[in-house]
Amino acid sequence: MGQTQVADAAGTAPPGKGRAATAAAYGVACAAHLIVAGLVIGGLTLIVFGWATIVQPVIGLVLLGVAAQLRPRLGTLASDWPTLRRGQAPALFTLLDAVADEVGERRVDAVRITSDFAVRASAHGVRRHRVLDIGLPLWVTSRPEQRVAALAQELAYFGGDVRRGTLVGTALTSLNGGTELAAARAEAPAGIWTAAPGAPHADEMSEATRDFKKRGRIVNYVLWIPQLVMKGLTRALLRLTVPAALYAEFRADAEAARVASTPAVVALLRDRRSADSVCTETHRLAVATRTFGRGEAVRNAERDFWTKVADHAATLPGRAPDGPADTDADDPRVARLSQETGRPATVTLGAVEADAVEGELEEARRLVARKVIQECVLG
């Protein structure tokens, strides 16, 4: 599908305007990074060349502290969720490599198994190693062809969305850090202690309270302008990247339809409407197991936990292969794909391969079930 077709389907501006907006977003992202670099250079300059004074090094340290808060977050692989490497899950990585090669994206370096109803890619570290989060609520309630569609869709979207790229993505994290820093301005606590009239040193305490509040108001005024700048840059970045994000979304659908077949992608998008129901049932099972389970019953529940979630999903209306499509008109992505002529999948997950993948995920399934049962939270 050409770029013009995708842009028209998404209802966005023509490709030329979309490229111009993306170029402007890159400019804003560079400006955000230059602000951080300027704070670092300014702070070091004040410390080195103003060492004979007292005020300049202190200001320099403050600038370096602000720069540290605004630094781009490169992310880490550290997580409480089970993480699989290539040697631990060869069948799974064979599938992931086939999908990544088919959509023309870089291969995944690690896989985390989570309790989200989603498949989500991310990058971490200076070398931007790619990690794929596979949420068991989505994985266990999807058919093999839908799993391939979910993998292809996410890998294609991650590679095409400028918001998740290195330049714009790290700029957004920097701006979010700056907004949080400015928002954490000094304010008098609601329950601040004040001396009762006539108490010893009541006048001094009242004066100290007024000074504290005054300093808090001054800090508020000082941080108001930086906070406004950070919010403005964040909104500008998000607004300028809307055309590119929509294009990436529809391109990901097209790539997933080519890799896993159009019916698989349509079924995946339809089944995602039941995310709330599946997650609610997952939480209910976790609470019930933690409340009423004991000893061996809990261990058995860990083994059967995701099977019960999948059984519940199978009873939901609209999740059958030929389920009702009366709400497709409300989803332009499903409506557009439904009108396309189906093509055979280029990557398939056969019964033997699917069993091999499930065998590699068995221990991770149990560990995630244990974590969900113990903490009774998802994600």
Side-chain angles (χ1 to χ4, degrees), residues 154-165:
E154 177 59 20
L155 290 177
Y157 183 66
F158 180 76
D161 185 13
V162 297
R163 292 177 178 175
R164 301 165 76 178

Side-chain angles (χ1 to χ4, degrees), residues 25 28 163 172 175-176 179 227-242:
V28 174
R163 292 177 178 175
L172 284 171
L175 293 172
N176 288 334
T179 302
Q227 184 179 21
L228 192 63
V229 171
M230 297 298 174
K231 286 184 177 180
L233 290 176
T234 302
R235 291 174 181 173
L237 265 183
L238 294 176
R239 184 179 295 273
L240 289 171
T241 52
V242 166

